[in-house]
Amino acid sequence: MVHPEAAAAAVAAPEELAPVYRLAESDLAQVSALISEQLAHTDTTISQILRYSFRLGGKRLRPLLLILSARACGRLERAHSLCAAALEMIHTGSLVHDDILDGARFRRHLETLNLRWDSHFAVLAGDLLLTKAIALITECRIPEVYPLIADACRRTCEGELLQVACQGRLDVSRAEYDRIIEGKTAALLETACRLGASFTGQSDATVGLFTRFGRLLGVAFQIFDDVLDLTGTDAETGKTLGTDLLNRKLTLPAIHFLQTAPESEKSAFLALLESDPFRPAEAEKAREILLASRSVAYARQTAMDMVHQAVSSLEEFRRGVTGKDRLDALDALCRIAGFIADRNK
C-alpha cells in the first residue's frame, strides 16, 4: 500500500504535464509503493523525518524519464521500477544535503529539513536515504545496473564537491561550471534515461541516444534553474531563491557577464561581490546588474538550444519506431523537454 505522503508527492506534478503523468500513472504508483516501503521505519522519529523528506520532493522527474524511456523502447521490467525508485531516493537525499549547503529555508513551500529539525538531522537523513536506495538497487539482480548507478552517484558528488571548491571564487570558468552541472544535476537525469533504454533489447546506439537526451536535458534543467535563482520569486517556486549570489556562487549568467561586459560594469559587479562584509543588499545589487545585462538571456538561450538538441536525439530514434504506446511515450518525453524549456518553478 502506498503511504499517503508518498502518494501525494508522486502526483505533485505541474499542470502542464498532467497528460504525461496520466500516461505513466500506474507505473509511477508502483515506484511510489517501493519508496513507501523504504520510508517505513520502526522508530517514530526516523520514520517522520524520512517521510517528510519526500514531501520536499515533487515532480518525480527521474522516475518519469526512466519509465517513459523504457516504454519508448518497448519493454518495462520490474528492474526499471526498482531503479526508478532508487534514483528518486538518491535525488531526494542530494536535495536534503543541497539545502544544508545553500542555507535554504524552504522547498516546495515547506520548511527544509535543516530548518524544521537541524543540519545534524538533515545530514544523517540524506545519508539514510542513500542507503535505502542501495537496498533497492541490490534487488534488481542485474549486474549492469550497479556500476551505472554507482557512476551516477560518483559524478553527482564530484559535481557538488567542485561547486563547493569554486564557491567564493570570482574567476570560475565556463568549463568548470559545465563540469559542476554535468555532475550535480545531469548525471542522474542521464542515468535515468540510459537505464530506461537498457535491458530492453535495444542496440547500444539506441541506448546512446537516450543517454544523450538525458544528459542534455539535465544540463539545460540546471541552467534554467540557475536563471530562475535570479529571475524567479520564492512564492512562485516554493523554495528559497537568490542563494547563488548570496553564497558568491557563479553560475552561467554571471560567468558570461564577466567574460563579455564592459570593463566599468564588470568592475562594479566584482566590487559588490568582493564587499566586506558581504550582505544581502550587495547580492541584490549584483543581481540587478545581471538582470539589466544580456547575460540572463544568453543563459536561457543556451539552455533552450540544449533542449532542442535533446529532442533531436529522440527524433533520430523515432524514425524506426512503430506502435501507439511507444510513440506516445516518445511524445511524452518531448513534452517534458518542452516543459523544462518553459518552466518557472
Side-chain angles (χ1 to χ4, degrees):
M1 184 175 122
V2 182
H3 190 277
E5 288 181 359
V11 296
E15 185 61 33
E16 304 94 316
L17 291 181
V20 173
Y21 281 84
R22 282 197 294 271
L23 183 65
E25 187 174 18
S26 61
D27 300 316
L28 285 174
Q30 291 180 30
V31 172
S32 288
L34 289 168
I35 291 173
S36 185
E37 290 171 7
Q38 292 298 319
L39 297 183
H41 201 283
T42 54
D43 184 274
T44 305
T45 301
I46 293 176
S47 180
Q48 182 184 9
I49 292 172
L50 289 177
R51 294 194 185 284
Y52 186 84
S53 70
F54 265 82
R55 293 179 63 195
L56 302 175
K59 293 182 280 290
R60 289 287 198 270
L61 184 59
R62 288 142 199 86
L64 186 62
L65 287 171
L66 195 155
I67 287 165
L68 291 173
S69 296
R71 282 191 164 208
C73 290
R75 186 191 302 171
L76 185 64
E77 306 282 356
R78 174 171 167 79
H80 287 120
S81 298
L82 289 165
C83 288
L87 286 181
E88 188 65 7
M89 298 197 82
I90 292 167
H91 169 62
T92 303
S94 73
L95 290 183
V96 171
H97 289 160
D98 276 354
D99 288 339
I100 301 166
L101 292 172
D102 292 341
R105 298 170 59 82
F106 295 95
R107 182 179 290 278
R108 304 202 70 78
H109 303 285
L110 294 169
E111 292 178 336
T112 56
L113 253 73
N114 45 294
L115 179 61
R116 188 178 178 91
W117 281 276
D118 61 34
S119 59
H120 297 86
F121 276 103
V123 167
L124 294 170
D127 291 346
L128 185 54
L129 287 170
L130 296 178
T131 66
K132 296 281 190 177
I134 292 170
L136 286 169
I137 295 165
T138 57
E139 288 186 41
C140 288
R141 305 288 192 270
I142 299 178
E144 299 93 317
V145 167
Y146 309 148
L148 289 177
I149 293 185
D151 186 62
C153 290
R154 174 189 63 77
R155 290 165 57 200
T156 301
C157 292
E158 287 178 353
E160 293 284 4
L161 278 169
L162 182 58
Q163 179 172 265
V164 172
C166 289
Q167 188 168 317
R169 274 183 47 203
L170 303 182
D171 61 346
V172 176
S173 69
R174 173 66 188 275
E176 287 174 310
Y177 172 75
D178 287 344
R179 283 176 57 203
I180 289 169
I181 65 175
E182 284 170 6
K184 69 174 237 174
T185 302
L188 289 182
L189 290 175
E190 173 188 321
T191 303
C193 294
R194 180 174 181 175
L195 286 170
S198 297
F199 37 93
T200 61
Q202 296 292 333
S203 67
D204 289 345
T206 292
V207 174
L209 289 175
F210 279 85
T211 301
R212 181 173 184 267
F213 172 79
R215 179 173 61 254
L216 288 167
L217 211 62
V219 172
F221 186 96
Q222 186 58 55
I223 294 174
F224 280 124
D225 208 54
D226 292 341
V227 168
L228 271 176
D229 194 73
L230 295 168
T231 64
T233 67
D234 292 6
E236 285 176 331
T237 62
K239 63 180 181 179
T240 306
L241 293 180
T243 60
D244 289 341
L245 283 176
L246 197 57
N247 291 324
R248 286 189 269 209
K249 183 168 66 179
L250 297 193
T251 59
L252 185 55
I255 292 169
H256 178 265
F257 178 82
L258 289 172
Q259 290 175 342
T260 61
E263 194 59 39
S264 60
E265 294 179 21
K266 176 181 173 180
S267 297
F269 183 74
L270 287 173
L272 286 167
L273 294 184
E274 291 170 343
S275 300
D276 186 16
F278 181 68
R279 298 161 299 192
E282 281 75 30
E284 176 58 24
K285 289 176 183 176
R287 184 181 80 94
E288 290 171 358
I289 290 175
L290 288 181
L291 292 179
S293 74
R294 59 189 180 90
S295 293
V296 170
Y298 166 82
R300 193 177 276 121
Q301 186 59 53
T302 298
M304 191 74 73
D305 291 344
M306 289 182 174
V307 169
H308 291 155
Q309 292 172 40
V311 171
S312 293
S313 296
L314 294 188
E315 291 306 320
E316 186 176 339
F317 171 70
R318 185 191 294 269
R319 299 188 192 110
V321 173
T322 58
K324 185 178 184 305
D325 288 347
R326 294 181 66 186
L327 290 170
D328 284 348
L330 279 174
D331 289 340
L333 287 168
C334 290
R335 190 160 183 168
I336 292 171
F339 166 76
I340 286 175
D342 195 37
R343 63 192 284 259
N344 61 5
K345 56 186 175 180

